[in-house]
Amino acid sequence: MSSEILMNIAVEDLLSEAVLRSLLSQIGREFIIPTCYGLRGADYLKQRLIGFNNAAKAIPYLVVVDLDAHLCPLALLRNWQRFERHPNFLFRIAVKEIEAWILADRESFAKWLGVLAQSIPEEVDSIPKPKEFLVSLAKKSNRRNLREDLVPAKGSIAKVGKGYNAVLSEFVSQHWKLTNAVNYSPSLMRAKNALVNFQPST
């Protein structure tokens, strides 16, 4: 019997896709991702959530969204999930943004960015705005190319640099270690445990 587990994923953006692909590859189980859905923001996922749940009857689905401005994960769940969840449907929340899960591998991220690991809080889920925090951290980087990619150009109204998603996705795929990251993000630890214990329903 094959130990492979087919699992479609649905995410808000390309960076979240990179994180989920890396996460699934490091769980210690053989997850195969046939299709990635979404990539159009949170509202797109919310509108299609019940459809993903129904589709999970045929193939498991993993949906990950940012907590963003919701008070807590339970508040988001009450707002989004107004249906009976199928056992093959996994819905996880990154507290408070997917960037927190990236920052959670404090040692690897600090080394890559060229900053002190101590500059990253030990519980990254407590960072109010992880994306803004990451950009502010990048401003202190001693690596000019990363500063230019991650930080908006002077006078720009953009919140992040032009290379933000590309360079962070590269970091996640090449350097990010789940075993380190789960120690500093409770929401990531919960997501990992859900995947470790998942048994597809037929």
Side-chain angles (χ1 to χ4, degrees):
M1 181 180 293
S2 174
S3 61
E4 293 180 353
I5 301 175
L6 296 179
M7 181 169 285
N8 286 332
I9 60 175
V11 295
E12 294 186 28
D13 51 35
L14 288 169
L15 185 55
S16 296
E17 178 185 358
V19 172
L20 256 63
R21 288 186 181 276
S22 184
L23 169 61
L24 288 168
S25 73
Q26 296 183 58
I27 286 293
R29 307 178 71 184
E30 195 168 357
F31 286 101
I32 306 297
I33 305 172
T35 308
C36 176
Y37 294 95
L39 305 173
R40 302 182 188 181
D43 288 343
Y44 180 88
L45 293 179
K46 183 178 181 181
Q47 293 168 8
R48 288 158 180 78
L49 206 64
I50 192 168
F52 294 144
N53 185 66
N54 290 335
K57 297 172 185 177
I59 179 173
Y61 271 71
L62 170 61
V63 180
V64 173
V65 299
D66 292 347
L67 179 63
D68 286 330
H70 289 84
L71 292 176
C72 65
L74 183 57
L76 189 150
L77 279 171
R78 287 172 175 167
N79 184 262
W80 281 50
Q81 189 184 300
R82 300 178 180 178
F83 52 83
E84 183 176 351
R85 188 191 306 187
H86 190 275
N88 284 343
F89 182 74
L90 299 179
F91 184 59
R92 307 309 312 177
I93 300 168
V95 180
K96 292 184 177 179
E97 295 172 321
I98 201 69
E99 281 84 355
W101 287 8
I102 297 173
L103 290 164
D105 183 2
R106 298 166 69 239
E107 182 178 342
S108 299
F109 189 79
K111 181 179 179 180
W112 174 77
L113 189 60
V115 298
L116 295 174
Q118 293 89 331
S119 59
I120 302 173
E122 291 195 1
E123 188 170 321
V124 295
D125 287 9
S126 67
I127 301 174
K129 297 181 179 180
K131 181 178 293 185
E132 289 185 12
F133 177 83
L134 192 154
V135 171
S136 69
L137 204 61
K139 293 177 180 178
K140 305 172 186 176
S141 173
N142 58 19
R143 299 181 179 177
R144 180 179 176 182
N145 62 318
L146 290 180
R147 289 200 311 270
E148 292 177 346
D149 283 328
L150 295 170
V151 180
K154 189 174 182 179
S156 171
I157 61 172
K159 294 183 179 180
V160 299
K162 291 183 178 179
Y164 184 87
N165 284 329
V167 297
L168 285 178
S169 294
E170 182 179 1
F171 164 77
V172 168
S173 64
Q174 296 183 9
H175 306 290
W176 186 74
K177 296 180 179 66
L178 176 64
T179 52
N180 293 340
V182 292
N183 293 319
Y184 300 103
S185 170
S187 65
L188 177 58
M189 176 66 85
R190 291 193 293 270
K192 176 198 171 186
N193 290 341
L195 289 164
V196 167
N197 297 318
F198 175 71
Q199 294 299 331
S201 175
T202 56

